[in-house]
């Protein structure tokens, strides 16, 4: 029955003269998302984006399209020739199917007149089509309810064709990937950083990722876990360049020369500097972290202040005011949670102090760093880093 999907967008619709750029990018992203299940004709007409489908593939295609950033909803629809009688017959056909499959007792017709030269207004269309459908339904117990219907059949009389649809699957919204620059994400194996990376990408930002490890003190499984997380993210964000950086020498130097309680903050400042330098070489203009106020010792206001002071690049923290339970809900929805909770040691826990400082003072942290060859340690870590391209399989 269904032969077309309607991909609805939100914010793109208010972009003025630049709207076509966002629409074209969204179309390309939808095509790329659908490649894993086949070739589809994706196109736009009069401010609408359509995907041609059939009964064998429309459900899979809907599930893929709804994941594309910029899409707020996907409707499976029936597209027919521009004929008003055909439009009424199609509405009746769709409602009959819905009544047969479910316990539908009330319905409503919602009409849209795309062709302003048509003799009926949208409201007149709804009244006329509703009367036709009601009088031709086999099940006479089904009634019209314009206030609280169990199902709404939408009928569109457009310039080139007619459309009839009833269902809509919600998308993630946001803006098309690639329309808002590029950022470098600090990606750990935990719950938070994959979610923060996904949230920034949802705003149209291309992302790369940097992961810090302490091999051989941490095993290769922890690195593979991060690759798995990047692979899941790449389903939404496209292929991700993942930079693997070994910070073992940095952590050893901190442990040997600095106060134990400052270890976490000092390590974090090194990570931020390294992420910034790699990001600058990759044309990124911001860093992204999964930090949330007060979640751990290094994420107090004073800790975040000391961390920020180590870099000049803007730092985006999408989760900054979110509760853990809300972060977990997003992780479960996007598919990263089950991988994130696999127990593996990471570089942050390796040299974690028993009593980390929770209210660090910047001048003291900077004084501690004078005991270290900061530039040399950073240069060595970057030179020995490895970049991989992670794609969804």
């Amino acid at each position: 029955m269904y032969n077309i999907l309607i991909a609805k967008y939100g914010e793109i619709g208010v972009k003025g003269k630049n709207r076509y750029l966002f629409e074209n990018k969204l179309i390309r992203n939808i095509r790329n998302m659908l490649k894993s299940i086949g070739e589809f004709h994706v196109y736009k007409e009069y401010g609408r984006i359509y995907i041609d489908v059939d009964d064998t593939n429309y459900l899979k295609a809907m599930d893929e399209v709804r994941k594309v950033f910029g899409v707020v909803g996907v409707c499976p629809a029936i597209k027919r020739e521009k004929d008003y009688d055909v439009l009424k017959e199609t509405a009746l056909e769709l409602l009959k199917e819905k009544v047969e499959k479910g316990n539908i007792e009330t319905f409503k017709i919602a009409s849209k007149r795309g062709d302003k030269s048509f003799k009926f207004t949208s409201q007149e269309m709804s009244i006329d089509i509703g009367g036709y459908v009601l009088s031709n339904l086999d099940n006479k117990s089904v009634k019209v309810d314009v206030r609280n219907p169990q199902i709404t059949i939408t009928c569109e009389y457009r310039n080139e064709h007619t459309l009839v649809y009833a269902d809509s699957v919600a998308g993630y919204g946001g803006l098309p990937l690639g329309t808002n620059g590029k950022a470098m994400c600090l990606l750990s194996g935990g719950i938070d950083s994959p979610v923060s990376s996904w949230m920034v990408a949802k705003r149209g930002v291309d992302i790369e990722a940097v992961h810090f490890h302490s091999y051989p003190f941490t095993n290769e499984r922890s690195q593979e876990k991060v690759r798995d997380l990047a692979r899941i993210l790449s389903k939404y964000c496209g292929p991700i360049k993942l930079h693997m950086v070994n910070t073992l020498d940095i952590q050893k130097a901190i442990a040997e020369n600095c106060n134990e309680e400052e270890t976490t903050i000092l390590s974090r400042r090194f990570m931020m500097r390294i992420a910034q330098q790699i990001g600058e070489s990759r044309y990124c203009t911001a860093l992204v972290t999964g930090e949330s106020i007060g979640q751990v010792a290094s994420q107090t206001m004073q800790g975040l202040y000391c961390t920020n002071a180590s870099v000049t690049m803007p730092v985006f923290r999408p989760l900054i005011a979110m509760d853990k339970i809300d972060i977990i809900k997003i992780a479960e929805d996007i598919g990263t949670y089950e991988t994130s909770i696999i127990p593996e040691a990471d570089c942050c826990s390796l040299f974690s102090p028993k009593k980390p400082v929770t209210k660090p003072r910047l001048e003291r942290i900077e004084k501690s760093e004078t005991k270290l060859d900061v530039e040399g340690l950073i240069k060595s870590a970057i030179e020995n880093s490895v970049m991989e391209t992670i794609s969804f399989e």
Side-chain angles (χ1 to χ4, degrees), residues 274-291:
I274 292 170
Q276 175 170 287
Q277 289 194 27
I278 295 176
E280 288 172 343
S281 70
R282 297 293 303 167
Y283 307 102
C284 298
T285 53
L287 302 178
V288 180
T289 78
E291 292 162 311

Side-chain angles (χ1 to χ4, degrees), residues 288-304:
V288 180
T289 78
E291 292 162 311
S292 174
I293 295 175
Q295 189 171 148
V296 295
S298 64
Q299 295 176 23
T300 61
M301 290 294 286
Q302 296 89 339
L304 294 174

Side-chain angles (χ1 to χ4, degrees), residues 25 31 33 77 122 181 218 246 269 271 274 281 335-336 348 354 370 374 377 391:
K25 186 66 174 176
R31 285 176 181 150
M33 183 66 83
S122 296
T218 54
N246 193 324
R269 282 167 61 87
M271 292 177 187
I274 292 170
S281 70
T336 58
C348 294
K354 294 179 181 178
T370 62
V374 175
L377 288 167
S391 301

